[in-house]
């Protein structure tokens, strides 16, 4: 891959309250796929001179059109690859009934490796083209099918974590692991398999990495959780993903299974599974002690608002978690969530925060606090990009644009020729860059994502040649 320079509008998060909106930015990507340098404000007449000053002579320049901008790739901190075929099904159920009637029957089909080989390419392609450059995937409990998922993700060039679900109790007889020992053995085999996948990039870490995936405490015996904690202790860099406090009935069932634990979160902590690279999905109904414990362990929360609404689970108080210093990213949680796009999670995260704000209308929030307030566009951008990178312990590599980071990026178009009838194209009604971002967040979809890059390589979008 040759070095390349992008010229035009660039948006990049800075914090939960601010972002850079740069209409005349020069951004150089080295042949490694890392960002080499950025000059934030360059007039048209100074482009070549500025490039030459950085030693870039006879280097290709990609000029973005009016209504196009570069955005860091979006990070999906929680989704279920084998549930994608179920999108839009089972909306009459709450969590536990939904698992029994909708989810487990679909996931069990991935015992058929031909089905896995036919299905997973479509799953990964849809998620990439939706603008997700980094994804934390749950597979099914099947070792061989999850190997196939990891291989496809690696072949397609997405940055991802892939885990095989661990589940040795409280699931149907047709979809359960026979013992904790076999579950852990298969997990170790998957970890070794993913670590030997061929590398196609100059990324600081492999694009595809393994992740421990105890499905949730209900489906894991105490001995299985303890054994997974031992696997985690042997590799401090190994990420962990699971669910916590999603639904009141789920919480009650969990506490009946672990009466010795003071809380749902405490179950994971006691097993050595709660640490700085743990991703906790949902966290809708945490108590004060759990919030303090998650903050102390520096674990991250994947906010999955679409699923939380869709399965009647509740509204997570994300502002409160941010005020307590907890890392938060967004997750689609397909198929509890009914869209593979983080844009949908952004929209519902905004609505969820407004619901909480309405519930506290008339109360004066503390200055600078996020609790009981609606999330701003800056906050939503942060959660979808750099916040998600923090939850995945990738913030030094991705999530924003700065020299040395990987060029994981989207070229977004809010022009009329993108073909999205929900957007009044900016080429017809010019608006500032911040306005285009907001428009993309609330009315955009995959038609507005022209190009998807990971580590500088074009891997998806409407302009990608398949």
């Amino acid at each position: 891959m040759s070095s390349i320079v992008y010229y035009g509008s660039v948006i990049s998060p800075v914090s939960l309250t601010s972002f850079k909106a740069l209409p005349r930015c020069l951004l150089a990507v080295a042949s490694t796929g890392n960002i080499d340098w950025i000059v934030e404000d360059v007039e048209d007449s100074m482009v070549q001179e500025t490039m030459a000053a950085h030693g870039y002579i006879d280097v290709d320049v990609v000029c973005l059109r009016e209504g196009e901008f570069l955005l860091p790739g979006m990070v999906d901190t929680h989704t279920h690859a084998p549930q994608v075929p179920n999108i839009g099904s089972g909306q009459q159920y709450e969590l536990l009934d939904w698992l029994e009637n909708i989810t487990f029957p679909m996931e069990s089909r991935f015992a058929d490796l031909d089905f896995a080989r036919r299905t997973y390419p479509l799953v990964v392609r849809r998620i990439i083209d939706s603008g997700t450059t980094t994804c934390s995937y749950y597979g099914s409990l099947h070792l061989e099918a999850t190997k196939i998922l990891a291989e496809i993700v690696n072949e397609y060039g997405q940055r991802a974590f892939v885990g095989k679900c661990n589940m040795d109790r409280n699931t149907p007889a047709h979809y359960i692991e026979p013992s904790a020992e076999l579950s852990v053995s298969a997990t170790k085999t998957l970890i070794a398999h993913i670590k030997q996948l061929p590398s196609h990039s100059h990324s600081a870490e492999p694009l595809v990495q393994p992740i421990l995936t105890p499905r949730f405490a209900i489906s894991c015996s105490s001995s299985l959780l303890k054994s997974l904690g031992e696997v985690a202790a042997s590799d401090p860099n190994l990420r962990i993903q699971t669910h916590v406090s999603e639904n009141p009935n789920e919480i009650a069932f969990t506490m009946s299974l672990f009466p010795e634990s003071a809380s749902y979160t405490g179950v994971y902590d006691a097993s050595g599974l709660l640490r700085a690279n743990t991703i906790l999905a949902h966290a809708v109904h945490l108590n004060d002690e759990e919030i303090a414990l998650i903050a102390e362990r520096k674990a991250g929360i994947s906010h999955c608002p679409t699923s939380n609404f869709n399965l009647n689970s509740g509204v997570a108080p994300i502002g409160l978690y941010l005020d307590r210093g907890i890392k938060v990213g967004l997750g689609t949680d397909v198929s509890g969530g009914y869209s593979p796009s983080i844009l949908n999670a952004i929209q519902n995260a905004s609505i969820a925060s407004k619901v909480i704000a309405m519930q506290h209308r008339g109360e004066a929030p503390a200055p600078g606090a996020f609790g009981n307030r609606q999330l701003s566009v800056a906050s939503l951008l942060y959660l979808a990009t750099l916040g998600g990178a923090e939850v995945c312990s990738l913030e030094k590599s991705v999530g924003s644009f700065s020299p040395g980071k990987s060029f994981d990026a989207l070229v977004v178009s809010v022009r009329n020729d993108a073909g999205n009838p929900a957007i009044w194209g900016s080429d017809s009604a010019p608006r500032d860059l911040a306005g285009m971002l907001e428009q993309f967040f609330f009315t955009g979809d995959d038609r507005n994502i022209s190009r998807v890059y990971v580590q500088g390589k074009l891997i998806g979008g409407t302009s990608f040649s398949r």
Side-chain angles (χ1 to χ4, degrees), residues 316-358:
I318 293 304
L320 172 62
Y321 302 156
L322 295 173
D323 288 340
R324 297 289 287 272
I326 294 174
K327 300 176 294 188
V328 178
L330 297 180
T332 57
D333 191 35
V334 170
S335 66
Y338 46 75
S339 171
S341 174
I342 286 291
L343 285 174
N344 180 268
I346 288 169
Q347 293 153 16
N348 280 301
S350 176
I351 292 170
S353 70
K354 291 176 181 178
V355 168
I356 290 176
M358 287 188 285

Side-chain angles (χ1 to χ4, degrees), residues 81 110 113-128 137 144-160 162 190 193-194 197-198 200 207-208 457 459:
F110 285 82
L113 299 188
D114 287 337
F115 180 74
R117 291 189 186 97
R118 293 195 308 271
T119 304
Y120 277 146
L122 302 175
V123 168
V124 176
R125 171 52 53 205
R126 291 181 186 201
I127 292 173
I128 290 172
Y137 287 106
E144 295 304 321
T146 310
K147 285 182 181 178
I148 290 170
L149 172 61
E151 290 164 1
I152 290 166
V153 172
N154 191 59
E155 177 188 348
Y156 283 18
Q158 189 181 36
R159 195 180 303 275
V162 178
L190 178 67
H193 179 79
I194 291 175
L197 289 174
H200 303 296
L207 287 183
V208 182
K457 180 182 178 182
I459 68 165

Side-chain angles (χ1 to χ4, degrees), residues 49-68:
E49 182 176 333
T50 304
M51 290 173 55
H54 288 84
Y56 273 57
I57 299 171
D58 294 328
V59 173
D60 289 338
V61 179
V62 174
C63 294
L64 302 178
R65 299 179 297 171
E66 176 69 32
E68 294 181 334

Side-chain angles (χ1 to χ4, degrees), residues 184-394:
V184 172
S185 176
T187 295
K188 290 179 177 178
T189 300
L190 178 67
I191 290 170
H193 179 79
I194 291 175
K195 286 185 174 181
Q196 60 80 44
L197 289 174
S199 174
H200 303 296
S201 78
H202 297 273
S203 179
E205 296 183 79
L207 287 183
V208 182
Q209 298 187 57
I211 185 167
L212 280 185
T213 309
R215 185 182 199 110
F216 61 166
I218 288 173
S219 69
C220 296
S221 63
S222 295
S223 60
L224 177 53
L225 289 177
K226 179 181 178 182
S227 296
L228 292 173
E230 292 168 355
V231 174
S234 70
D235 183 358
N237 292 318
L238 181 63
R239 277 70 165 184
I240 303 162
Q241 62 180 355
T242 191
H243 300 77
V244 72
S245 298
E246 180 177 355
N247 173 282
N249 291 333
E250 168 217 14
I251 297 168
F253 191 12
T254 299
M255 297 315 298
S256 73
L257 296 171
F258 297 90
E260 73 284 359
S261 180
S263 70
Y264 193 159
T265 304
V267 172
Y268 299 128
D269 190 51
S271 303
L273 294 169
L274 191 68
R275 63 189 191 186
N277 54 5
T278 297
I279 304 170
L280 297 168
H282 299 289
V284 177
H285 304 286
L286 299 175
N287 61 38
D288 287 342
E289 290 74 19
E290 289 179 290
I291 295 170
L293 179 59
I294 291 169
E296 181 181 353
R297 296 288 186 262
K298 297 180 172 27
I301 288 174
S302 175
H303 180 34
C304 305
T306 305
S307 176
N308 295 341
F309 284 135
N310 196 40
L311 297 180
N312 295 322
S313 295
V315 183
I318 293 304
L320 172 62
Y321 302 156
L322 295 173
D323 288 340
R324 297 289 287 272
I326 294 174
K327 300 176 294 188
V328 178
L330 297 180
T332 57
D333 191 35
V334 170
S335 66
Y338 46 75
S339 171
S341 174
I342 286 291
L343 285 174
N344 180 268
I346 288 169
Q347 293 153 16
N348 280 301
S350 176
I351 292 170
S353 70
K354 291 176 181 178
V355 168
I356 290 176
M358 287 188 285
Q359 291 171 342
H360 294 270
R361 184 170 283 156
E363 300 176 16
F370 295 94
N372 304 336
R373 288 181 169 176
Q374 70 181 66
L375 293 169
S376 67
V377 170
S379 297
L380 295 167
L381 170 62
Y382 193 91
L383 296 182
T385 54
L386 193 51
E390 290 171 344
V391 169
C392 294
S393 299
L394 287 174

